[in-house]
Amino acid sequence: MSSEAAGLVCEDDQRGIPATGLGMATVKSIVEAHGGTVTATTAEGGGSAFTVTH
């Protein structure tokens, strides 16, 4: 599953290291398999905030 297929889009981090987004896609798959949800929002001041609920 790609990060885009999981509803998450990954960009390069501030250190300039390319990322694939597979970490969050994996988290999302595992959480949903257990009946939970993962949401992503823009954090105030930049970056992202992820919420995992079950």
Side-chain angles (χ1 to χ4, degrees), residues 19-47:
T20 62
L22 292 176
M24 286 308 300
T26 302
V27 168
K28 186 174 188 294
S29 294
I30 293 169
V31 170
E32 288 180 347
H34 291 274
T37 61
V38 177
T39 56
T41 56
T42 301
E44 190 172 325

